[in-house]
Amino acid sequence: MTDPLWFKDAVFYELHVKAFHDGNGDGIGDFRGLIEKLDYLEWLGVTCLWLLPFFPSPLRDDGYDVANYVSIAPDYGSLEDFREFLDEAHKRGMRVIVDLVLNHTSDQHPWFQEARSSPQSAKRDYYVWSDTDKRYQKARIIFIDTEKSNWTWDPVAQAYYWHRFFSHQPDLNYDNPVLQQAMLDIMSFWLDQGLDGFRCDAVPYLFEREGTICENLPETHAYLKKIRKRIDEAYQGRILLAEANQWPADVRPYFGEGDEFHMAFHFPLMPRLFLGVRSEDWHPIVDMFTHTPPIPDNCQWCLFLRNHDELTLEMCAGEERDYMYYAYARDPLMRRNIGIARRLAPLLDNDRRKIELLNSLVFTLPGSPIIYYGDEIGMGDNVHLGDRNGVRTPMQWSADRNGGFSKTDPSKLYLPAISDSVYGFNVTNVESQRQAPHSLLHWMRQMIARRKQQPAFGRGALTFLRPKNDRVLAHIREHGGNLLLLVHNLAGSAQSVDLDLGPFEGRVPVELLGGSRFPVISKRPYVLSLAPYGFYWFNLEQKPGDDLSYGMEGSVL
Ligand code: NOJ
Ligand code: CA
């Protein structure tokens, strides 16, 4: 039997079917196209794919406005294509999770159409209606760019309906047991196809209660535990990953006692990684772990640098938020909602050293890493596209027409491919990077492979060393007697650091990528020098091995 805790060692890869590869030449990515690229993903070494919503949808929120939960949008293919894709992914040792959009539907969903048609309709109670827009006033507005209220008047229903996101996304009413059951059945439908789990969208908002902020309510946790129970009873080995953009203390309950979510994104850590490198200071990163409570053994954090949304600053307030905007989005065109809609490489000025450094942090801090499609080759963005579309452009496979994404007329693409002189598909693409042994792509592949060799990355305990030089972040991961020492120079200048490695006296740091042995650890401070944005991954080996001389030198003639 496979290990039910497989997700602790997994390397995730997030992609949109629409954006990955167009198999039938209509300008929109599809499952047939994705199947053709599974060999690439296997070669890269990622072990679990997260697919963004691919259900029928008016696409006013890129598929997070679902109009039918148990079907595939025709542009992306058929259910058969999906099944074939899943089989092919499984054959290559990759698992697949997809979005489960629990909180709301599209206003085009037949449930909503029926619900609004009459107060007597059987589906009326699937949604949250009111005669006034004054209820639940303490709930914040999440999409402050576009929404003025969480209530919208529906002239057909002659009532207000509740929505935490866009006004075309009415919230489902989880006080209704029939709806609760309907969502469980939807889950089963996909799990019965062989799916390995769900990334559950917007979970803090399932219930509303007067006088509260309508987030993280006990009723919400109780329902989520029911979902988990269904998984444990009928679908062992499948996982639930929570999207709860909250402070760690508020995310902690989503793990329950190991009986709610298997995984949750660590949202507040993400901007602190960018802050840490920009301010050349380990404190923002280490402090975030001080604020992160322990989680049950059968649970795991999910760490990420970028995703399909803006780099959210909801978990940064005051000076930190101002600094992030100042450092990473001086041009207002780069800002969306409370955040920055840019990809990893442009955020880091396309500085290969910083890109490697930040990837190294998400690969070595506690949790499983997620790579956003295209970031493994340093793809760029297009801040002129509306909403968050600037980071959702076609994957760049080669220097061919449309970056090898589609054979169609470029004007027919679902979004224009990036074509500028730095990040455009002519220069930045998979084919050219596969041919260049020192490309970012090869580096990512190598780091993924190294990470997979060391279970301590996914499962080990964490200790920060807190050196006096606050430009150098140093941490230890320990698992089953294996000790890893990770040292990162967050600064753009060379640094020297003294580490107190006394407890590991007698061990020998062996650098994991090149295999070089470093001086044995003693009671004295361990001095390391690091290049600008340089870092080391060390295995602290138990005892000095044999000396490394070979050949005839030193032998008795
Ligand atoms: C979170 C998703 O990541 C985002 O893309 C979407 O707009 C909202 N949830 C609403 O579903
Ligand atoms: Ca297509």
Side-chain angles (χ1 to χ4, degrees):
M1 208 186 101
T2 55
D3 180 0
L5 298 183
W6 59 267
F7 56 90
K8 288 199 166 209
D9 309 308
V11 177
F12 287 78
Y13 187 92
E14 176 192 359
L15 69 93
H16 202 319
V17 178
K18 176 176 84 170
F20 210 57
H21 189 226
D22 176 13
N24 66 354
D26 65 355
I28 305 168
D30 43 49
F31 278 105
R32 304 235 54 91
L34 174 55
I35 292 169
E36 288 169 27
K37 295 300 183 186
L38 285 173
D39 286 344
Y40 164 74
L41 294 169
E42 184 188 13
W43 172 85
L44 182 59
V46 296
T47 56
C48 185
L49 308 180
W50 158 26
L51 267 47
L52 293 169
F54 48 66
F55 316 103
S57 159
L59 294 185
R60 295 178 69 194
D61 184 12
D62 210 10
Y64 282 98
D65 45 339
V66 178
N68 179 351
Y69 283 96
V70 288
S71 179
I72 308 272
D75 280 341
Y76 308 149
S78 63
L79 202 53
E80 251 159 48
D81 294 333
F82 171 78
R83 281 201 206 101
E84 189 181 327
F85 150 73
L86 200 56
D87 274 1
E88 292 296 325
H90 285 163
K91 271 188 211 156
R92 289 165 178 79
M94 283 181 274
R95 291 183 165 86
V96 180
I97 64 172
V98 307
D99 263 281
L100 185 66
V101 189
L102 289 159
N103 181 65
H104 46 264
T105 67
S106 160
D107 58 7
Q108 301 306 305
H109 196 291
W111 290 345
F112 188 72
Q113 293 299 326
E114 193 182 327
R116 79 197 312 196
S117 68
S118 140
Q120 279 73 46
S121 114
K123 296 287 187 298
R124 185 72 163 197
D125 203 32
Y126 269 35
Y127 294 89
V128 183
W129 300 99
S130 169
D131 294 335
T132 137
D133 58 358
K134 300 286 178 279
R135 292 165 66 199
Y136 311 138
Q137 290 291 296
K138 286 195 174 155
R140 69 192 165 115
I141 293 168
I142 296 169
F143 283 172
I144 52 159
D145 265 4
T146 50
E147 304 304 319
K148 296 263 168 296
S149 164
N150 288 324
W151 292 106
T152 290
W153 175 254
D154 183 31
V156 182
Q158 287 294 302
Y160 290 97
Y161 62 89
W162 178 249
H163 56 87
R164 293 310 301 270
F165 294 91
F166 290 120
S167 59
H168 56 73
Q169 284 167 320
D171 270 37
L172 288 163
N173 173 22
Y174 278 91
D175 274 320
N176 177 351
V178 185
L179 182 262
Q180 286 200 7
Q181 187 55 43
M183 203 42 91
L184 284 167
D185 293 346
I186 287 163
M187 272 180 50
S188 285
F189 173 84
W190 290 106
L191 294 170
D192 290 340
Q193 312 287 325
L195 195 75
D196 299 290
F198 297 101
R199 178 265 192 193
C200 299
D201 186 63
V203 292
Y205 316 107
L206 301 189
F207 282 78
E208 300 76 36
R209 289 292 178 264
E210 202 54 77
T212 73
I213 58 166
C214 299
E215 296 183 21
N216 312 322
L217 295 177
E219 293 84 350
T220 294
H221 286 290
Y223 178 62
L224 293 168
K225 285 198 166 76
K226 280 192 200 168
I227 292 187
R228 172 59 180 265
K229 198 155 169 270
R230 164 82 60 108
I231 298 258
D232 285 350
E233 281 167 4
Y235 303 103
Q236 274 186 18
R238 323 289 181 95
I239 60 161
L240 296 168
L241 161 58
E243 190 224 10
N245 187 354
Q246 303 279 327
W247 201 245
D250 295 320
V251 178
R252 173 62 189 82
Y254 288 94
F255 294 112
E257 298 313 312
D259 58 355
E260 208 169 309
F261 280 92
H262 302 79
M263 303 185 81
F265 294 111
H266 203 311
F267 273 96
L269 174 67
M270 182 270 296
R272 267 87 194 173
L273 297 172
F274 288 92
L275 267 178
V277 69
R278 183 59 191 237
S279 58
E280 306 191 342
D281 184 355
W282 54 252
H283 286 88
I285 299 171
V286 174
D287 287 353
M288 193 39 63
F289 283 94
T290 312
H291 287 291
T292 302
I295 57 175
D297 280 351
N298 59 345
C299 295
Q300 176 81 319
W301 290 104
C302 231
L303 306 189
F304 65 103
L305 294 167
R306 295 301 313 113
N307 63 20
H308 63 290
D309 288 328
E310 71 278 13
L311 189 170
T312 170
L313 300 175
E314 274 176 57
M315 293 299 121
C316 284
E319 280 176 15
E320 281 188 330
R321 188 182 287 180
D322 294 346
Y323 186 72
M324 283 297 288
Y325 278 133
Y326 161 78
Y328 291 109
R330 256 181 258 184
D331 182 346
L333 268 179
M334 297 166 177
R335 301 180 187 184
R336 295 288 184 291
N337 206 32
I338 304 174
I340 303 168
R342 304 190 71 197
R343 269 189 179 267
L344 184 65
L347 277 166
L348 300 176
D349 306 318
N350 211 19
D351 185 334
R352 175 78 182 266
R353 299 168 306 173
K354 286 193 260 181
I355 295 174
E356 291 185 2
L357 180 79
L358 282 193
N359 272 301
S360 172
L361 288 172
V362 294
F363 277 25
T364 61
L365 288 167
S368 298
I370 292 208
I371 300 162
Y372 183 49
Y373 87 91
D375 282 350
E376 75 274 26
I377 54 168
M379 250 171 78
D381 51 44
N382 180 350
V383 296
H384 300 282
L385 298 174
D387 198 351
R388 292 146 289 175
N389 290 331
V391 302
R392 300 173 179 180
T393 58
M395 178 67 180
Q396 297 171 192
W397 295 105
S398 68
D400 297 341
R401 162 187 281 228
N402 302 320
F405 163 75
S406 171
K407 293 198 169 62
T408 196
D409 175 338
S411 62
K412 291 195 183 137
L413 292 181
Y414 75 92
L415 281 177
I418 304 286
S419 57
D420 63 63
S421 56
V422 178
Y423 303 103
F425 59 80
N426 271 329
V427 266
T428 300
N429 64 64
V430 170
E431 189 180 81
S432 64
Q433 293 201 18
R434 276 187 84 154
Q435 283 163 15
H438 291 284
S439 63
L440 177 61
L441 178 60
H442 274 284
W443 182 85
M444 289 289 285
R445 179 171 183 257
Q446 192 196 5
M447 297 312 264
I448 292 169
R450 293 290 173 195
R451 187 192 145 96
K452 290 199 293 198
Q453 288 164 353
Q454 300 292 337
F457 284 130
R459 305 193 181 221
L462 167 76
T463 311
F464 286 111
L465 295 179
R466 298 179 169 84
K468 283 210 180 68
N469 182 345
D470 42 32
R471 294 179 168 171
V472 179
L473 177 75
H475 61 292
I476 301 271
R477 303 294 310 276
E478 205 236 309
H479 175 71
N482 265 6
L483 278 165
L484 302 179
L485 166 66
L486 302 315
V487 190
H488 293 83
N489 177 9
L490 304 175
S493 51
Q495 296 295 319
S496 166
V497 67
D498 289 359
L499 297 175
D500 176 8
L501 298 180
F504 315 115
E505 189 185 351
R507 292 194 180 238
V508 177
V510 177
E511 201 275 328
L512 274 176
L513 305 178
S516 305
R517 303 168 79 81
F518 274 55
V520 65
I521 297 169
S522 70
K523 282 202 178 61
R524 303 225 309 277
Y526 199 85
V527 184
L528 282 172
S529 310
L530 293 112
Y533 303 119
F535 57 88
Y536 293 119
W537 291 10
F538 289 117
N539 193 0
L540 301 186
E541 287 194 358
Q542 191 70 51
K543 35 179 170 34
D546 302 324
D547 83 28
L548 294 178
S549 61
Y550 60 94
M552 64 177 288
E553 195 181 350
S555 62
V556 180
L557 295 175

